[in-house]
């Protein structure tokens, strides 16, 4: 049973949980409450075996998330801002979540919003989505992983240009630099996202989680260490009943019935 949240909504569709940041009149800007609630909800969903995949989106048609709530920046000290970022890190909660998280991006995806999308595993955008790290225009820099995750995803030159100019790019440009996996018309965004989410949610939860863990090592470790850890995680699959079920189902020419054991 989920506790109730003020700034976010939770919907469950089969094994997919959809989290909606629900501050449309503020373009879903991330205030402290939203960060806290988002991190708390992810903590709840971590151990919820009925959930295989999480989708994060923004309420309304205008914005995914238009960034950190700038109103909260006014008058804030360096130490307070640091503790806000460290203690209530929605970005870390997404990054360390053991199941796949898909960003369903339906409009402005700026600053901390772009960093939320970057922390997710897969990004699907509507044609009207736009992307940017405009912090430089406020005299600050990205603080939710933008300088690191954007650089790893699109390369140093593109990340430099986006972060140093603060320029907003459209969805097609974001696709062309590898920032998003797919761009679809607005009316197909949910269907496309749910198609991918449901396809993943049908797989064995253990192999999905271990595959995610192995892939995430690639941007953090050197190749030798990454390959060693991949072999260990690959071998760990052999400790699961799902591996026996997957292999037997193939040999018996039937669909596997994975149990997450
Ligand atoms: N923080 C706080 N409030 C925000 C916000 C943010 N990041 N983004 C939008 N809002 C608020 C606006 O202040 C406005 O509030 P109000 O109605 O009480 O005045 C409301 O959301 C609607 O914004 P508005 O600018 O009128 O909508 P728009 O559709 O014309 O423009 C944006 C949308 C996103 C282009 C514009 O709001 C914007 O540039 N936002 C800031 C983006 C940014 O710099 N993000 C990085 C922060 S580090």
């Amino acid at each position: 049973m989920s506790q109730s949240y003020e700034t976010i909504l939770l919907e469950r569709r089969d094994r997919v949980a959809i989290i909606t940041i629900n501050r449309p009149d503020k373009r879903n800007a991330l205030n402290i409450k939203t960060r806290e609630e988002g991190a708390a909800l992810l903590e709840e969903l971590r151990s919820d075996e009925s959930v295989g995949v999480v989708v994060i989106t923004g309420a309304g048609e205008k914005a995914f998330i238009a960034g950190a709530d700038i109103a909260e920046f006014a008058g804030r000290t360096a130490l307070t801002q640091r503790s806000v970022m460290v203690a209530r890190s929605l970005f870390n909660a997404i990054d360390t979540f053991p199941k796949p998280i898909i960003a369903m991006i339906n409009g402005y995806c700026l600053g901390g919003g772009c960093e939320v999308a970057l922390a997710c595993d897969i990004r699907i955008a509507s044609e009207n989505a736009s992307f940017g790290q405009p912090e430089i225009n406020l005299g600050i820099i990205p603080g939710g992983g933008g300088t690191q995750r954007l650089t790893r995803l699109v390369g140093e030159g593109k990340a430099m240009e986006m972060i140093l100019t603060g320029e907003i790019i459209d969805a097609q440009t974001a696709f062309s630099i590898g920032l998003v996996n797919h761009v679809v018309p607005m009316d197909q965004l949910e269907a496309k996202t749910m198609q991918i989410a449901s396809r993943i949610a049908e797989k064995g939860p253990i192999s999905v989680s271990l595959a995610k863990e192995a892939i995430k090592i690639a941007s953090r470790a050197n190749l030798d260490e990454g390959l060693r850890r991949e072999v260990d995680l690959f071998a760990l699959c052999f400790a699961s009943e799902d591996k026996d079920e997957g292999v037997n189902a193939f040999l018996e020419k039937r669909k596997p019935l994975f149990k997450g054991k």
Side-chain angles (χ1 to χ4, degrees):
M1 179 76 184
S2 287
Q3 60 187 93
S4 65
Y5 297 97
E6 265 174 46
T7 63
I8 51 179
L9 304 170
L10 173 66
E11 187 194 338
R12 293 163 185 270
R13 284 197 218 160
D14 297 324
R15 290 181 41 74
V16 180
I18 305 172
I19 297 176
T20 302
I21 308 296
N22 190 27
R23 301 183 73 217
D25 53 332
K26 295 290 177 194
R27 303 294 179 264
N28 303 318
L30 292 179
N31 60 8
I32 291 180
K33 186 91 187 161
T34 315
R35 290 161 194 260
E36 277 177 351
E37 291 191 339
L41 177 53
L42 285 173
E43 188 58 39
E44 216 182 292
L45 297 179
R46 258 183 111 86
S47 53
D48 185 335
E49 288 179 8
S50 69
V51 173
V53 175
V54 170
V55 169
I56 297 184
T57 193
E61 294 197 347
K62 289 196 169 157
F64 172 68
I65 299 168
D69 191 320
I70 299 171
E72 289 186 343
F73 285 169
R76 192 176 276 168
T77 65
L79 288 176
T80 312
Q81 184 59 32
R82 186 170 191 272
S83 72
V84 166
M85 300 300 287
V86 175
R88 305 179 181 95
S89 179
L90 176 59
F91 309 105
N92 281 351
I94 295 171
D95 190 46
T96 57
F97 195 71
K99 310 170 201 186
I101 306 192
I102 302 177
M104 181 164 81
I105 303 159
N106 52 322
Y108 293 114
C109 180
L110 305 176
C114 194
E115 291 171 305
V116 164
L118 288 165
C120 292
D121 303 311
I122 295 173
R123 286 153 288 279
I124 323 279
S126 61
E127 282 169 346
N128 70 323
S130 57
F131 299 79
Q133 297 286 167
E135 290 87 347
I136 204 94
N137 299 325
L138 301 171
I140 56 176
I141 70 170
T147 63
Q148 304 304 301
R149 294 195 184 98
L150 183 64
T151 306
R152 281 168 165 78
L153 192 62
V154 305
E156 190 175 287
K158 300 285 182 203
M160 280 284 184
E161 188 175 335
M162 282 183 71
I163 292 170
L164 298 185
T165 66
E167 187 199 349
I168 309 295
I169 60 173
D170 63 23
Q172 279 305 336
T173 308
F175 176 73
S176 72
I177 63 173
L179 179 43
V180 297
N181 298 48
H182 301 275
V183 179
V184 295
M186 184 70 181
D187 62 0
Q188 290 166 33
L189 178 64
E190 190 173 298
K192 180 71 183 176
T193 307
M194 289 307 293
Q195 181 196 50
I196 294 173
S198 308
R199 192 170 292 170
I200 297 170
E202 280 173 12
K203 313 292 182 203
I206 292 174
S207 50
V208 164
S209 177
L210 294 179
K212 171 171 170 170
E213 187 177 335
I215 293 165
K216 294 209 79 138
I217 293 167
S219 60
R220 290 172 156 85
N222 66 40
L223 184 59
D224 287 340
E225 187 193 343
L227 291 171
R228 263 197 309 276
R229 291 184 58 190
E230 181 193 78
V231 167
D232 290 343
L233 293 169
F234 168 73
L236 194 55
C237 297
F238 285 64
S240 72
E241 289 176 22
D242 281 354
K243 169 255 163 189
D244 293 333
E245 169 63 9
V247 171
N248 290 338
F250 176 81
L251 297 175
E252 292 161 16
K253 300 190 190 308
R254 62 176 173 83
K255 241 187 131 190
L257 193 66
F258 294 119
K259 293 189 183 136
K261 290 187 176 146

Short mmCIF file of all heavy atoms in Angstrom, two decimals, residues 183-235:
data_model
loop_
_atom_site.label_atom_id
_atom_site.label_comp_id
_atom_site.label_asym_id
_atom_site.label_seq_id
_atom_site.Cartn_x
_atom_site.Cartn_y
_atom_site.Cartn_z
N VAL A 183 12.15 9.47 -30.76
CA VAL A 183 11.28 10.65 -30.79
C VAL A 183 10.01 10.24 -31.51
O VAL A 183 10.08 9.68 -32.61
CB VAL A 183 11.93 11.83 -31.55
CG1 VAL A 183 10.98 13.03 -31.57
CG2 VAL A 183 13.25 12.22 -30.92
N VAL A 184 8.86 10.50 -30.90
CA VAL A 184 7.59 10.10 -31.51
C VAL A 184 6.60 11.27 -31.39
O VAL A 184 6.77 12.14 -30.54
CB VAL A 184 6.99 8.85 -30.80
CG1 VAL A 184 7.87 7.63 -31.01
CG2 VAL A 184 6.78 9.09 -29.32
N PRO A 185 5.55 11.28 -32.24
CA PRO A 185 4.52 12.31 -32.08
C PRO A 185 3.92 12.25 -30.67
O PRO A 185 3.85 11.17 -30.07
CB PRO A 185 3.47 11.94 -33.14
CG PRO A 185 4.23 11.14 -34.16
CD PRO A 185 5.29 10.40 -33.39
N MET A 186 3.49 13.40 -30.19
CA MET A 186 2.97 13.51 -28.82
C MET A 186 1.91 12.43 -28.52
O MET A 186 1.92 11.82 -27.45
CB MET A 186 2.35 14.90 -28.64
CG MET A 186 1.85 15.20 -27.27
SD MET A 186 3.23 15.36 -26.13
CE MET A 186 2.40 15.67 -24.62
N ASP A 187 1.01 12.21 -29.50
CA ASP A 187 -0.09 11.27 -29.22
C ASP A 187 0.37 9.80 -29.21
O ASP A 187 -0.41 8.91 -28.91
CB ASP A 187 -1.27 11.48 -30.20
CG ASP A 187 -0.88 11.23 -31.65
OD1 ASP A 187 0.30 10.90 -31.91
OD2 ASP A 187 -1.76 11.37 -32.52
N GLN A 188 1.64 9.58 -29.56
CA GLN A 188 2.13 8.20 -29.51
C GLN A 188 3.16 7.97 -28.39
O GLN A 188 3.72 6.88 -28.25
CB GLN A 188 2.77 7.81 -30.85
CG GLN A 188 1.74 7.68 -31.96
CD GLN A 188 2.38 7.65 -33.34
OE1 GLN A 188 3.49 7.15 -33.50
NE2 GLN A 188 1.69 8.21 -34.32
N LEU A 189 3.40 9.04 -27.63
CA LEU A 189 4.47 8.94 -26.62
C LEU A 189 4.19 7.86 -25.58
O LEU A 189 5.05 7.04 -25.27
CB LEU A 189 4.65 10.31 -25.92
CG LEU A 189 5.71 10.33 -24.82
CD1 LEU A 189 7.10 10.04 -25.38
CD2 LEU A 189 5.70 11.67 -24.08
N GLU A 190 2.98 7.87 -25.06
CA GLU A 190 2.66 6.90 -24.02
C GLU A 190 2.68 5.47 -24.57
O GLU A 190 3.23 4.55 -23.94
CB GLU A 190 1.30 7.22 -23.41
CG GLU A 190 1.04 6.42 -22.18
CD GLU A 190 -0.23 6.84 -21.47
OE1 GLU A 190 -0.30 8.00 -21.02
OE2 GLU A 190 -1.15 6.01 -21.39
N ALA A 191 2.10 5.29 -25.76
CA ALA A 191 2.05 3.94 -26.34
C ALA A 191 3.45 3.40 -26.59
O ALA A 191 3.76 2.25 -26.27
CB ALA A 191 1.24 3.97 -27.64
N LYS A 192 4.33 4.25 -27.15
CA LYS A 192 5.71 3.81 -27.43
C LYS A 192 6.44 3.46 -26.14
O LYS A 192 7.13 2.44 -26.04
CB LYS A 192 6.45 4.94 -28.19
CG LYS A 192 7.89 4.60 -28.53
CD LYS A 192 7.97 3.56 -29.61
CE LYS A 192 9.38 3.15 -29.92
NZ LYS A 192 9.45 2.07 -30.91
N THR A 193 6.27 4.33 -25.13
CA THR A 193 6.94 4.10 -23.85
C THR A 193 6.44 2.81 -23.20
O THR A 193 7.23 1.98 -22.72
CB THR A 193 6.72 5.29 -22.90
OG1 THR A 193 7.09 6.49 -23.57
CG2 THR A 193 7.52 5.15 -21.62
N MET A 194 5.11 2.64 -23.21
CA MET A 194 4.53 1.45 -22.57
C MET A 194 4.91 0.18 -23.32
O MET A 194 5.07 -0.89 -22.71
CB MET A 194 3.00 1.59 -22.45
CG MET A 194 2.55 2.61 -21.44
SD MET A 194 3.27 2.38 -19.78
CE MET A 194 2.49 0.84 -19.30
N GLN A 195 5.05 0.31 -24.63
CA GLN A 195 5.45 -0.88 -25.42
C GLN A 195 6.84 -1.35 -24.97
O GLN A 195 7.06 -2.54 -24.73
CB GLN A 195 5.47 -0.48 -26.90
CG GLN A 195 5.84 -1.59 -27.85
CD GLN A 195 6.21 -1.02 -29.22
OE1 GLN A 195 7.01 -0.09 -29.33
NE2 GLN A 195 5.60 -1.55 -30.25
N ILE A 196 7.76 -0.40 -24.83
CA ILE A 196 9.12 -0.77 -24.41
C ILE A 196 9.12 -1.24 -22.96
O ILE A 196 9.73 -2.26 -22.61
CB ILE A 196 10.08 0.42 -24.62
CG1 ILE A 196 10.21 0.71 -26.11
CG2 ILE A 196 11.45 0.13 -24.01
CD1 ILE A 196 11.00 1.96 -26.44
N ALA A 197 8.40 -0.50 -22.10
CA ALA A 197 8.35 -0.87 -20.68
C ALA A 197 7.77 -2.27 -20.49
O ALA A 197 8.30 -3.09 -19.74
CB ALA A 197 7.53 0.16 -19.90
N SER A 198 6.67 -2.56 -21.21
CA SER A 198 6.01 -3.86 -21.04
C SER A 198 6.90 -4.98 -21.57
O SER A 198 6.94 -6.07 -21.00
CB SER A 198 4.68 -3.91 -21.78
OG SER A 198 3.91 -2.81 -21.42
N ARG A 199 7.59 -4.72 -22.66
CA ARG A 199 8.48 -5.74 -23.21
C ARG A 199 9.56 -6.11 -22.18
O ARG A 199 9.87 -7.28 -21.98
CB ARG A 199 9.12 -5.22 -24.50
CG ARG A 199 9.82 -6.29 -25.29
CD ARG A 199 10.22 -5.80 -26.66
NE ARG A 199 9.09 -5.54 -27.52
CZ ARG A 199 9.18 -4.93 -28.71
NH1 ARG A 199 10.34 -4.50 -29.15
NH2 ARG A 199 8.11 -4.74 -29.44
N ILE A 200 10.12 -5.10 -21.51
CA ILE A 200 11.14 -5.38 -20.49
C ILE A 200 10.51 -6.06 -19.28
O ILE A 200 11.09 -7.01 -18.73
CB ILE A 200 11.85 -4.06 -20.06
CG1 ILE A 200 12.59 -3.44 -21.25
CG2 ILE A 200 12.81 -4.32 -18.90
CD1 ILE A 200 13.12 -2.04 -20.99
N ALA A 201 9.31 -5.60 -18.90
CA ALA A 201 8.66 -6.13 -17.69
C ALA A 201 8.30 -7.60 -17.81
O ALA A 201 8.10 -8.29 -16.81
CB ALA A 201 7.42 -5.30 -17.34
N GLU A 202 8.21 -8.10 -19.05
CA GLU A 202 7.90 -9.53 -19.26
C GLU A 202 9.12 -10.44 -19.02
O GLU A 202 8.99 -11.64 -18.89
CB GLU A 202 7.55 -9.76 -20.74
CG GLU A 202 6.16 -9.41 -21.14
CD GLU A 202 5.99 -9.53 -22.65
OE1 GLU A 202 6.88 -10.09 -23.34
OE2 GLU A 202 4.98 -9.04 -23.13
N LYS A 203 10.31 -9.86 -19.05
CA LYS A 203 11.53 -10.68 -18.93
C LYS A 203 11.73 -11.10 -17.47
O LYS A 203 11.05 -10.62 -16.57
CB LYS A 203 12.76 -9.89 -19.39
CG LYS A 203 12.62 -9.16 -20.71
CD LYS A 203 12.50 -10.08 -21.90
CE LYS A 203 12.41 -9.28 -23.19
NZ LYS A 203 11.79 -10.02 -24.28
N GLY A 204 12.71 -11.92 -17.25
CA GLY A 204 13.00 -12.35 -15.89
C GLY A 204 13.57 -11.19 -15.09
O GLY A 204 14.56 -10.58 -15.51
N PRO A 205 12.98 -10.85 -13.94
CA PRO A 205 13.44 -9.69 -13.16
C PRO A 205 14.90 -9.80 -12.74
O PRO A 205 15.59 -8.78 -12.64
CB PRO A 205 12.53 -9.70 -11.93
CG PRO A 205 11.36 -10.54 -12.29
CD PRO A 205 11.80 -11.51 -13.34
N ILE A 206 15.37 -11.03 -12.48
CA ILE A 206 16.76 -11.15 -12.02
C ILE A 206 17.73 -10.82 -13.16
O ILE A 206 18.66 -10.02 -12.98
CB ILE A 206 17.02 -12.58 -11.49
CG1 ILE A 206 16.21 -12.77 -10.20
CG2 ILE A 206 18.51 -12.80 -11.24
CD1 ILE A 206 16.25 -14.17 -9.64
N SER A 207 17.48 -11.38 -14.35
CA SER A 207 18.42 -11.09 -15.44
C SER A 207 18.32 -9.63 -15.89
O SER A 207 19.33 -9.02 -16.26
CB SER A 207 18.24 -12.06 -16.62
OG SER A 207 16.90 -12.14 -17.01
N VAL A 208 17.12 -9.05 -15.82
CA VAL A 208 16.99 -7.62 -16.17
C VAL A 208 17.83 -6.77 -15.21
O VAL A 208 18.58 -5.89 -15.62
CB VAL A 208 15.50 -7.18 -16.13
CG1 VAL A 208 15.37 -5.67 -16.11
CG2 VAL A 208 14.75 -7.75 -17.33
N SER A 209 17.70 -7.08 -13.91
CA SER A 209 18.41 -6.29 -12.92
C SER A 209 19.94 -6.47 -13.04
O SER A 209 20.70 -5.49 -12.96
CB SER A 209 17.92 -6.71 -11.53
OG SER A 209 18.63 -6.03 -10.55
N LEU A 210 20.37 -7.72 -13.27
CA LEU A 210 21.82 -7.96 -13.40
C LEU A 210 22.36 -7.34 -14.69
O LEU A 210 23.48 -6.83 -14.73
CB LEU A 210 22.12 -9.47 -13.35
CG LEU A 210 21.83 -10.15 -12.00
CD1 LEU A 210 22.13 -11.65 -12.08
CD2 LEU A 210 22.65 -9.52 -10.87
N ALA A 211 21.55 -7.37 -15.76
CA ALA A 211 21.99 -6.73 -17.02
C ALA A 211 22.16 -5.23 -16.82
O ALA A 211 23.14 -4.63 -17.26
CB ALA A 211 20.98 -7.01 -18.13
N LYS A 212 21.20 -4.62 -16.12
CA LYS A 212 21.29 -3.18 -15.85
C LYS A 212 22.56 -2.88 -15.05
O LYS A 212 23.31 -1.96 -15.37
CB LYS A 212 20.04 -2.69 -15.11
CG LYS A 212 20.19 -1.26 -14.60
CD LYS A 212 18.92 -0.65 -14.05
CE LYS A 212 19.27 0.67 -13.36
NZ LYS A 212 18.13 1.48 -12.99
N GLU A 213 22.78 -3.70 -14.01
CA GLU A 213 23.96 -3.49 -13.16
C GLU A 213 25.24 -3.58 -14.01
O GLU A 213 26.14 -2.74 -13.88
CB GLU A 213 23.97 -4.53 -12.04
CG GLU A 213 25.05 -4.29 -11.01
CD GLU A 213 25.00 -5.30 -9.86
OE1 GLU A 213 23.92 -5.87 -9.58
OE2 GLU A 213 26.05 -5.51 -9.24
N ALA A 214 25.29 -4.57 -14.89
CA ALA A 214 26.49 -4.77 -15.70
C ALA A 214 26.69 -3.60 -16.67
O ALA A 214 27.81 -3.09 -16.84
CB ALA A 214 26.39 -6.09 -16.47
N ILE A 215 25.61 -3.14 -17.29
CA ILE A 215 25.73 -2.03 -18.26
C ILE A 215 26.20 -0.76 -17.55
O ILE A 215 27.04 -0.01 -18.06
CB ILE A 215 24.39 -1.79 -18.99
CG1 ILE A 215 24.05 -2.99 -19.88
CG2 ILE A 215 24.45 -0.50 -19.82
CD1 ILE A 215 22.61 -3.02 -20.37
N LYS A 216 25.67 -0.53 -16.34
CA LYS A 216 26.04 0.70 -15.63
C LYS A 216 27.51 0.72 -15.23
O LYS A 216 28.09 1.78 -15.04
CB LYS A 216 25.13 0.92 -14.42
CG LYS A 216 23.69 1.17 -14.86
CD LYS A 216 22.92 2.02 -13.91
CE LYS A 216 23.26 3.47 -14.07
NZ LYS A 216 22.15 4.40 -14.03
N ILE A 217 28.10 -0.47 -15.11
CA ILE A 217 29.53 -0.52 -14.77
C ILE A 217 30.37 0.06 -15.92
O ILE A 217 31.43 0.64 -15.71
CB ILE A 217 29.96 -1.98 -14.47
CG1 ILE A 217 29.28 -2.48 -13.19
CG2 ILE A 217 31.49 -2.09 -14.33
CD1 ILE A 217 29.39 -3.99 -12.97
N ALA A 218 29.84 -0.07 -17.16
CA ALA A 218 30.63 0.33 -18.34
C ALA A 218 31.10 1.78 -18.30
O ALA A 218 32.19 2.10 -18.75
CB ALA A 218 29.84 0.06 -19.61
N SER A 219 30.26 2.68 -17.76
CA SER A 219 30.68 4.08 -17.75
C SER A 219 31.43 4.44 -16.48
O SER A 219 31.79 5.59 -16.27
CB SER A 219 29.47 5.00 -17.93
OG SER A 219 28.55 4.78 -16.89
N ARG A 220 31.65 3.45 -15.61
CA ARG A 220 32.30 3.77 -14.34
C ARG A 220 33.64 3.07 -14.15
O ARG A 220 34.47 3.51 -13.36
CB ARG A 220 31.39 3.36 -13.18
CG ARG A 220 30.16 4.23 -13.03
CD ARG A 220 29.23 3.63 -12.00
NE ARG A 220 28.34 4.61 -11.39
CZ ARG A 220 27.18 4.98 -11.92
NH1 ARG A 220 26.79 4.47 -13.06
NH2 ARG A 220 26.42 5.87 -11.32
N ALA A 221 33.83 1.95 -14.85
CA ALA A 221 35.04 1.16 -14.62
C ALA A 221 35.85 1.07 -15.91
O ALA A 221 35.34 1.38 -16.99
CB ALA A 221 34.65 -0.24 -14.16
N ASN A 222 37.10 0.62 -15.80
CA ASN A 222 37.84 0.40 -17.04
C ASN A 222 37.40 -0.92 -17.67
O ASN A 222 36.68 -1.71 -17.06
CB ASN A 222 39.36 0.47 -16.80
CG ASN A 222 39.85 -0.66 -15.92
OD1 ASN A 222 39.40 -1.80 -16.05
ND2 ASN A 222 40.78 -0.34 -15.04
N LEU A 223 37.82 -1.16 -18.92
CA LEU A 223 37.30 -2.30 -19.68
C LEU A 223 37.61 -3.63 -18.99
O LEU A 223 36.74 -4.51 -18.90
CB LEU A 223 37.86 -2.28 -21.11
CG LEU A 223 37.33 -3.37 -22.04
CD1 LEU A 223 35.81 -3.30 -22.19
CD2 LEU A 223 38.00 -3.27 -23.41
N ASP A 224 38.84 -3.79 -18.48
CA ASP A 224 39.20 -5.08 -17.85
C ASP A 224 38.31 -5.36 -16.64
O ASP A 224 37.80 -6.45 -16.47
CB ASP A 224 40.67 -5.08 -17.43
CG ASP A 224 41.58 -5.20 -18.64
OD1 ASP A 224 41.09 -5.65 -19.69
OD2 ASP A 224 42.75 -4.81 -18.53
N GLU A 225 38.14 -4.33 -15.79
CA GLU A 225 37.30 -4.52 -14.61
C GLU A 225 35.85 -4.78 -15.03
O GLU A 225 35.18 -5.66 -14.49
CB GLU A 225 37.37 -3.29 -13.69
CG GLU A 225 36.64 -3.55 -12.38
CD GLU A 225 36.40 -2.30 -11.54
OE1 GLU A 225 37.05 -1.27 -11.79
OE2 GLU A 225 35.53 -2.38 -10.65
N GLY A 226 35.37 -4.01 -16.01
CA GLY A 226 34.00 -4.18 -16.48
C GLY A 226 33.76 -5.58 -17.02
O GLY A 226 32.74 -6.22 -16.72
N LEU A 227 34.71 -6.09 -17.79
CA LEU A 227 34.55 -7.44 -18.36
C LEU A 227 34.59 -8.50 -17.26
O LEU A 227 33.84 -9.48 -17.30
CB LEU A 227 35.64 -7.71 -19.41
CG LEU A 227 35.49 -6.88 -20.70
CD1 LEU A 227 36.71 -7.04 -21.59
CD2 LEU A 227 34.22 -7.26 -21.46
N ARG A 228 35.45 -8.29 -16.25
CA ARG A 228 35.51 -9.25 -15.14
C ARG A 228 34.18 -9.28 -14.39
O ARG A 228 33.64 -10.34 -14.07
CB ARG A 228 36.62 -8.85 -14.16
CG ARG A 228 37.93 -9.59 -14.39
CD ARG A 228 38.86 -9.48 -13.18
NE ARG A 228 39.06 -8.12 -12.71
CZ ARG A 228 39.96 -7.27 -13.21
NH1 ARG A 228 40.74 -7.64 -14.21
NH2 ARG A 228 40.09 -6.06 -12.72
N ARG A 229 33.65 -8.08 -14.14
CA ARG A 229 32.40 -8.03 -13.36
C ARG A 229 31.24 -8.56 -14.19
O ARG A 229 30.31 -9.17 -13.66
CB ARG A 229 32.16 -6.61 -12.87
CG ARG A 229 33.22 -6.29 -11.80
CD ARG A 229 33.06 -4.96 -11.15
NE ARG A 229 31.78 -4.78 -10.50
CZ ARG A 229 31.37 -3.61 -10.03
NH1 ARG A 229 32.13 -2.55 -10.18
NH2 ARG A 229 30.21 -3.49 -9.44
N GLU A 230 31.29 -8.35 -15.50
CA GLU A 230 30.23 -8.92 -16.36
C GLU A 230 30.22 -10.44 -16.25
O GLU A 230 29.14 -11.06 -16.12
CB GLU A 230 30.45 -8.50 -17.82
CG GLU A 230 29.36 -9.04 -18.74
CD GLU A 230 29.71 -8.90 -20.21
OE1 GLU A 230 30.52 -9.73 -20.70
OE2 GLU A 230 29.20 -7.98 -20.85
N VAL A 231 31.40 -11.06 -16.30
CA VAL A 231 31.45 -12.53 -16.19
C VAL A 231 30.85 -12.99 -14.86
O VAL A 231 30.09 -13.96 -14.81
CB VAL A 231 32.91 -13.04 -16.33
CG1 VAL A 231 33.02 -14.50 -15.92
CG2 VAL A 231 33.39 -12.86 -17.76
N ASP A 232 31.18 -12.27 -13.76
CA ASP A 232 30.64 -12.65 -12.45
C ASP A 232 29.11 -12.55 -12.44
O ASP A 232 28.42 -13.43 -11.93
CB ASP A 232 31.22 -11.75 -11.35
CG ASP A 232 32.69 -12.05 -11.11
OD1 ASP A 232 33.15 -13.13 -11.54
OD2 ASP A 232 33.38 -11.20 -10.51
N LEU A 233 28.60 -11.43 -13.01
CA LEU A 233 27.14 -11.24 -13.00
C LEU A 233 26.47 -12.26 -13.93
O LEU A 233 25.39 -12.78 -13.64
CB LEU A 233 26.79 -9.80 -13.41
CG LEU A 233 27.23 -8.75 -12.38
CD1 LEU A 233 27.09 -7.34 -12.94
CD2 LEU A 233 26.41 -8.87 -11.09
N PHE A 234 27.13 -12.55 -15.06
CA PHE A 234 26.62 -13.58 -15.98
C PHE A 234 26.53 -14.92 -15.24
O PHE A 234 25.48 -15.60 -15.27
CB PHE A 234 27.57 -13.68 -17.18
CG PHE A 234 27.36 -14.88 -18.07
CD1 PHE A 234 26.26 -14.95 -18.91
CD2 PHE A 234 28.26 -15.93 -18.06
CE1 PHE A 234 26.06 -16.05 -19.73
CE2 PHE A 234 28.07 -17.04 -18.87
CZ PHE A 234 26.96 -17.10 -19.70
N ALA A 235 27.61 -15.27 -14.53
CA ALA A 235 27.62 -16.56 -13.81
C ALA A 235 26.56 -16.58 -12.71
O ALA A 235 25.93 -17.61 -12.45
CB ALA A 235 29.01 -16.81 -13.22
#
